[in-house]
Amino acid sequence: MKTPKICKTRQELKAAIAEANPGSLGFVPTMGALHQGHGSLFRIAREENELVVISIFVNELQFNDAGDYARYPRQLEADVQLAADAGVDIIFAPEAQEIYHAGLPLIKLASGRMGELYEGASRPGHFDGMLAVVSKLLHLADPRQGQYRAYFGQKDAQQVVLIRRMVADLDYPVELRSVPIVRSEKGLALSSRNALLSEAEKDAALVLHRSIQLIADRAANHEPLNIEDAVGLFQMEPLVELDYFTVVDPNTLEELAFNCQDTPFTGEGLILVAATVGKVRLIDNQPISA
Ligand code: AMP
């Protein structure tokens, strides 16, 4: 197992990619505090590409809450180890001034209506900030020749939909790949923020997955979804405060009309849930079809 090369500046990254001169490059942007959810993206990128580049950058622009930004876990040494285990070749780990060298951007990307729903409603500006940094990172890791692929987790389903639209609408020369959610044995979606939960909070947080499963099972059985039953499960968890639980169109993210009716589910949907456990905001989701 070889140690990944760490690049701190865009020049170092560019030189390292040019030196490797890969026929295909797989790029995985992350905010660090890596876990096996990230590991799964790295491994798939490893299988599909000659060169695997990841970035570790906690992007201030996508945090609407300064406390959340300050609390976000940072652990570069452990991250390098996990990346090495997964066969990553290059880690781009810039400081904020390297990314925003000319100050915060004046020219902005607007995520539009899809960026104002759900996570966007609860975290104003989050998706515009996310698109700003993903856009820059996609340019910085671009090998300019050969295949270029970028990998994103289905864990952040709304993010994947928005990045897909950005890449299509603005013709970014990159192939997007999305990777299924990795969960703990008990079902909790792995997240860097889980490190901030107590054991009792981690147990309580399992209600996110339980509520999704209840509705996904009904969808699979062509039953009415009656999502108020899922909402009811949250009322029995005093440590968990539900933000939203909804079923949406997976392409437009608009809420599906039959949610509250007594008609059986047919077609394609995406269950989305967000809740706060202690001080930590958690999200989860699952595609459904019947
Ligand atoms: P983050 O470091 O949280 O920005 O995540 C970096 C990438 O890893 C994003 O594309 C996430 O969707 C993905 N990711 C995070 N957690 C998981 C997980 N449990 N399963 C799959 N992908 C994940």
Side-chain angles (χ1 to χ4, degrees), residues 273-284:
V273 60
T276 304
V277 187
K279 280 197 158 115
V280 184
R281 185 184 166 77
L282 298 176
I283 54 174
D284 203 342

Side-chain angles (χ1 to χ4, degrees), residues 29-31 35 37-38 41 72 152-153 155-156 159 180-182 190:
T30 82
M31 297 205 297
H35 50 67
H38 301 105
L41 271 71
Y72 201 84
F152 294 90
K155 156 88 180 359
D156 298 281
Q159 171 172 291
I181 299 180
V182 178
L190 298 191

Side-chain angles (χ1 to χ4, degrees), residues 14-287:
K14 198 173 170 190
I17 293 171
E19 191 190 339
N21 190 22
S24 55
L25 184 152
F27 175 52
V28 189
T30 82
M31 297 205 297
L34 301 179
H35 50 67
Q36 287 310 325
H38 301 105
S40 148
L41 271 71
F42 302 164
R43 288 194 172 80
I44 293 173
R46 175 74 285 159
E47 281 166 21
E48 296 181 351
N49 300 280
E50 280 174 39
L51 189 74
V52 177
V53 179
I54 71 163
S55 61
I56 296 179
F57 179 62
V58 185
N59 171 38
E60 186 175 354
L61 275 191
Q62 71 192 68
F63 287 81
N64 58 310
D65 171 348
D68 188 26
Y69 176 64
R71 272 195 303 275
Y72 201 84
R74 291 158 172 92
Q75 45 167 62
L76 187 60
E77 223 172 285
D79 287 353
V80 173
Q81 187 57 50
L82 189 142
D85 289 345
V88 169
D89 299 303
I90 298 173
I91 299 177
F92 180 45
E95 299 295 335
Q97 62 267 30
E98 177 64 25
I99 292 295
Y100 301 118
H101 55 118
L104 293 181
L106 291 176
I107 308 300
K108 297 192 171 142
L109 284 162
S111 53
R113 171 157 173 84
M114 290 200 301
E116 285 165 11
L117 301 166
Y118 317 112
E119 284 310 281
S122 300
R123 303 173 67 190
H126 166 66
F127 285 118
D128 292 357
M130 179 279 291
L131 289 180
V133 79
V134 168
S135 177
K136 285 166 81 73
L137 292 168
L138 284 175
H139 291 312
L140 293 174
D142 187 342
R144 311 279 153 95
Q145 55 179 9
Q147 280 284 334
Y148 182 28
R149 305 185 178 97
Y151 295 77
F152 294 90
Q154 198 52 48
K155 156 88 180 359
D156 298 281
Q158 193 173 0
Q159 171 172 291
V160 171
V161 173
L162 283 164
I163 293 172
R164 267 196 199 294
R165 280 308 298 243
M166 177 180 79
V167 164
D169 289 352
L170 302 180
D171 282 309
Y172 280 49
V174 62
E175 179 191 339
L176 290 186
R177 314 276 283 133
S178 71
V179 174
I181 299 180
V182 178
R183 299 178 177 281
S184 74
E185 232 168 78
K186 290 183 177 166
L188 183 62
L190 298 191
S191 162
S192 305
R193 288 190 168 87
N194 294 353
L196 305 172
L197 297 171
S198 69
E199 283 309 310
E201 288 168 342
K202 268 187 202 159
D203 281 342
L206 294 173
V207 68
L208 275 82
H209 187 225
R210 256 200 331 276
S211 64
I212 286 178
Q213 276 189 311
L214 174 71
I215 302 307
D217 287 348
R218 288 181 182 167
N221 296 327
H222 303 278
E223 292 169 13
L225 300 187
N226 291 326
I227 63 172
E228 59 281 3
D229 295 338
V231 173
L233 293 180
F234 285 84
Q235 281 150 12
M236 294 185 283
E237 291 289 349
L239 297 179
V240 184
E241 195 184 326
L242 179 63
D243 183 355
Y244 57 80
F245 186 104
T246 184
V247 181
V248 303
D249 179 308
N251 298 310
T252 64
L253 298 176
E254 298 294 341
E255 198 163 42
L256 289 179
F258 59 80
N259 266 350
C260 301
Q261 297 167 8
D262 226 22
T263 44
F265 175 78
T266 54
E268 304 273 317
L270 176 65
I271 304 173
L272 293 176
V273 60
T276 304
V277 187
K279 280 197 158 115
V280 184
R281 185 184 166 77
L282 298 176
I283 54 174
D284 203 342
N285 71 85
Q286 188 163 317

